Amino acid sequence: MRTVRRSQLREIVPLSDTTIYEMEQRGEFPRRFNLTPRCVVWDLAEVETWIEERRNASSAGKIETRPAPDVRLRKTRPVKSDQG
């Protein structure tokens, strides 16, 4: 079994720590475990399997994507900076 630490996981999975934590709590991402009281790791094989499952689900159209916001519905316009 090969494990990855948080910094290595961030290189593999471009999600924030909060997003990963929330997905773990919902059972949507492999669970971390402690090697020592201060060392948290993930099983690399589980992470790679999760990525492959996401890739397959995305290709099959099973991952729901949100539509882009309609900018015409904004009540105010973005402020342009005079600095440039």
Side-chain angles (χ1 to χ4, degrees):
M1 171 194 291
R2 183 150 182 244
T3 60
V4 292
R5 296 183 81 167
R6 186 180 316 272
S7 60
Q8 297 165 313
L9 182 69
R10 279 195 211 113
E11 293 176 11
I12 299 169
V13 180
L15 298 173
S16 71
D17 290 342
T18 303
T19 301
I20 290 171
Y21 176 78
E22 289 172 352
M23 290 177 75
E24 284 177 328
Q25 297 303 310
R26 294 189 306 256
E28 298 172 1
F29 192 80
R31 299 283 299 199
R32 67 185 83 191
F33 58 95
N34 292 337
L35 288 180
T36 67
R38 295 181 56 158
C39 181
V40 177
V41 295
W42 286 260
D43 182 347
L44 180 60
E46 288 180 10
V47 172
E48 290 173 339
T49 300
W50 177 83
I51 291 171
E52 189 61 33
E53 289 172 357
R54 299 294 287 191
R55 179 182 291 152
N56 293 337
S58 180
S59 298
K62 294 180 181 176
I63 294 180
E64 186 176 318
T65 58
R66 295 185 179 173
D70 187 354
V71 296
R72 296 172 297 197
L73 298 177
R74 281 193 227 160
K75 297 190 189 291
T76 61
R77 295 181 62 139
V79 177
K80 290 186 181 179
S81 174
D82 291 335
Q83 300 171 1

